[in-house]
Amino acid sequence: MSDDTVPTLVDPTWLENRLDAPDVQVLDCTVHLSTDGSGEYQLEPGYDDWADAHVPGSAFADLIEDLSETEDPDYPFQLPTPADFAAAVGDLGVSDDSRVVLYDTVDAGNNNEWAARLWWLFRVFGHDRVGVLDGGWARWTAGDRPVSATVTEPEPATFTADYRPELVADGDDVAARLDDDDACLINALRPSDHAAQRIPNSENVPAVGEDAVITDDGTYQSEATLRERFADVGATEAEAVITYCGGGIAASSQALALYQAGVTDAAVYDGSLSEWTADPDRPVESDE
């Protein structure tokens, strides 16, 4: 690999050796997800944690407010418009020539999901010089690598969005593929969630939990293991692959895992089950 590119999965040593490279922009995209006493989900950007300690020279990317649709969205984390995405990442110092490295700071069991979401967004909007720090913040700090608490404003840059609709699926796209033998629809949720509620004719390759595409140490499984898992459900031979989950986050991590396995054109169902189940006429299956 030449030094004007970036690996899809970035080893911490690779990044450490390039922290001073002027074209490398590091973004922390952590979102903290929790439940309150009523079981409702609470979302909070990880800005405060980033401000306390981060990869030197990095900026914080707010997936909740800046990199999702916020003007009357149809579902959480809805894809932003190309213009809004370009403006947001330009404000973070990302230009058309930038090599972007993304990471998050959540626990190992959910490592890389938020980073993978932004990785997918960059690809949707035409930027391929982007990678995810494999193992995230936990792996970075485990290696006693440099950490900073200096908060600086990135120098704004110009980013040009080039929308790739083939990497995005909506409910109509999924409905049209339900009985298509040449398509593979993959649910990225845990097996128990897949059993409880799923889109008909979908396969389950979990992005989190046991037997996930993420290992116990928060890194992605090997390329060989990923190829085997996706081959088992027919994804490596399918003409079209669509990933989904509850809201499009784990599905983005699944798209990255598919990319590592050689399936580089998988689409993410934006909104996933939160969008699918909002229409009572759309079918769902369960084992209950």
Side-chain angles (χ1 to χ4, degrees):
M1 176 178 294
S2 65
D3 204 45
D4 62 352
T5 59
V6 58
T8 301
L9 292 180
V10 176
D11 184 87
T13 301
W14 186 97
L15 178 58
E16 186 176 10
N17 291 338
R18 293 164 177 80
L19 286 178
D20 295 329
D23 65 332
V24 172
Q25 180 61 59
V26 184
L27 302 177
D28 181 331
C29 31
T30 301
V31 174
H32 294 301
L33 176 65
S34 60
T35 57
D36 60 19
S38 66
E40 291 293 320
Y41 284 108
Q42 304 293 319
L43 295 165
E44 182 180 356
Y47 177 87
D48 289 344
D49 292 336
W50 169 82
D52 288 340
H54 50 260
V55 174
S58 65
F60 183 78
D62 191 334
L63 281 167
I64 299 175
E65 293 295 334
D66 298 333
L67 291 161
S68 298
E69 177 61 53
T70 56
E71 295 292 332
D72 194 25
D74 296 321
Y75 43 83
F77 295 104
Q78 183 176 342
L79 192 76
T81 66
D84 286 346
F85 182 84
V89 299
D91 287 344
L92 293 171
V94 178
S95 74
D96 294 339
D97 297 323
S98 294
R99 291 183 288 171
V100 186
V101 178
L102 311 167
Y103 76 95
D104 55 47
T105 65
V106 295
D107 62 276
N110 294 306
N111 248 13
N112 304 314
E113 281 193 343
W114 300 105
R117 175 67 180 185
L118 189 47
W119 170 87
W120 175 70
L121 289 175
F122 269 109
R123 294 200 66 237
V124 166
F125 293 114
H127 194 77
D128 289 325
R129 288 156 59 89
V130 58
V132 167
L133 181 62
D134 197 19
W137 177 248
R139 190 176 177 210
W140 179 264
T141 54
D144 196 29
R145 294 180 171 87
V147 171
S148 174
T150 301
V151 175
T152 58
E153 290 293 326
E155 183 176 344
T158 299
F159 181 90
T160 307
D162 183 12
Y163 182 59
R164 293 168 169 163
E166 68 274 12
L167 298 180
V168 184
D170 61 19
D172 290 339
D173 295 325
V174 173
R177 294 289 193 177
L178 290 183
D179 298 314
D180 187 348
D181 292 337
D182 294 324
C184 181
L185 182 61
I186 302 177
N187 184 356
L189 295 174
R190 291 175 171 84
S192 59
D193 295 324
H194 179 74
Q197 185 183 61
R198 62 183 177 272
I199 298 174
N201 298 327
S202 59
E203 302 287 348
N204 184 214
V205 181
V208 293
E210 293 185 8
D211 298 320
V213 300
I214 300 291
T215 68
D216 291 341
D217 68 0
T219 59
Y220 281 88
Q221 300 278 2
S222 70
E223 291 182 25
T225 297
L226 293 173
R227 281 194 298 270
E228 181 179 359
R229 291 193 180 181
F230 291 123
D232 286 345
V233 299
T236 56
E237 300 297 327
E239 290 183 3
V241 179
I242 300 173
T243 69
Y244 77 95
C245 57
I249 306 304
S252 300
S253 186
Q254 195 73 277
L256 190 152
L258 281 157
Y259 191 93
Q260 280 295 103
V263 183
T264 59
D265 56 355
V268 171
Y269 178 11
D270 199 40
S272 290
L273 282 173
S274 63
E275 198 276 341
W276 181 264
T277 57
D279 185 342
D281 292 329
R282 287 175 177 162
V284 293
E285 290 182 341
S286 76
D287 293 344
E288 299 176 352

